[in-house]
Amino acid sequence: MPLVVLCGYPCSGKTRRAHELRDYFSQNTERKVHVVGDGDQGIDKNSVYSDSQKEKNLRGVLRAEVERKVNKDDIVILDSLNYIKGYRYELFCLIKHTQTPHCLVYCLTSAEVSSECNKAREADSQYTQEILDGLILRFEAPDSRNRWDSPLFTIQIEDALPFEAISDALFKRKAPPPNQSTQTQPLSSTNFLYELDKVTQDILMALLDSQKTSVPGDLISIPGATEKIKLTRSLNMVELRKLRRQFISYTKMHPTENIGQIANMFVQYLNKSIH
């Protein structure tokens, strides 16, 4: 059923809010409530968040756990930093695919408050100051104008959770309708896999070629796509190939019935992923 995504700086009270929500829904509904988060994984936070590959793997594990638990009856609460807007967009695509509502609870604190809360923790559960500062620097704040960050509830440490409003957002609002990029089809279609590989490769080559005569801020037209890529900075082949692999992997799990939309889907993915 619904997904609640917690978001915020380290030590901003996300786990406390997750437990408050779990208790509220357990007492006021007959649904099972699952909390999925970093704490379940037995990780060394400083080791994970100092290594981009380990951090990426953790996000993948959490996303897979959310996908496994989301169903028609239960409530899932994702208790993690969720500070990357591209990752929040992936979660939005997941709930569109499962046709369930979601909301975002943003635990808003200042860097100074998060640092003080971190120092107040037991030594073995603290972030190093360097890791804490790095995560705060990389944090991409949610924006309610983005459909993947909406509905958005912004909560400060001293605030009480608006339980009824959150409940209404989850149970009285329709799920976002599935679109062509989240409709499934059997992956036995050789033509689909061929087109997926060919179209994404052609877009990469067109983008690299266009960069020779473009500057940051330009909109780049892509053959076969009605949408354009907004060039915010120079992109190299290594980075583009990585994004292409991620897109292909995700699209194989959630293929489109309309092969003609692959180009637009990939352009949308690139625009969301390029910072």
Side-chain angles (χ1 to χ4, degrees), residues 97-108:
H97 175 65
T98 54
Q99 299 184 46
T100 184
H102 94 307
C103 73
L104 191 72
V105 176
Y106 177 24
C107 299
L108 177 62

Side-chain angles (χ1 to χ4, degrees), residues 158-225:
E158 65 276 10
D159 293 341
L161 278 173
F163 293 111
E164 289 189 12
I166 292 173
S167 182
D168 288 348
L170 297 176
F171 302 121
K172 296 183 179 180
R173 192 172 59 91
K174 291 184 178 180
N179 58 20
Q180 290 169 330
S181 65
T182 56
Q183 291 293 297
T184 58
Q185 73 175 35
L187 272 180
S188 58
S189 171
T190 304
N191 189 48
F192 170 77
L193 296 176
Y194 170 78
E195 288 295 325
L196 178 62
D197 182 77
K198 181 178 183 300
V199 169
T200 53
Q201 182 62 31
D202 288 347
I203 289 177
L204 253 58
M205 300 312 296
L207 181 53
L208 286 169
D209 189 57
S210 296
Q211 284 190 129
K212 297 175 183 177
T213 56
S214 301
V215 297
D218 284 354
L219 291 175
I220 297 177
S221 297
I222 297 297

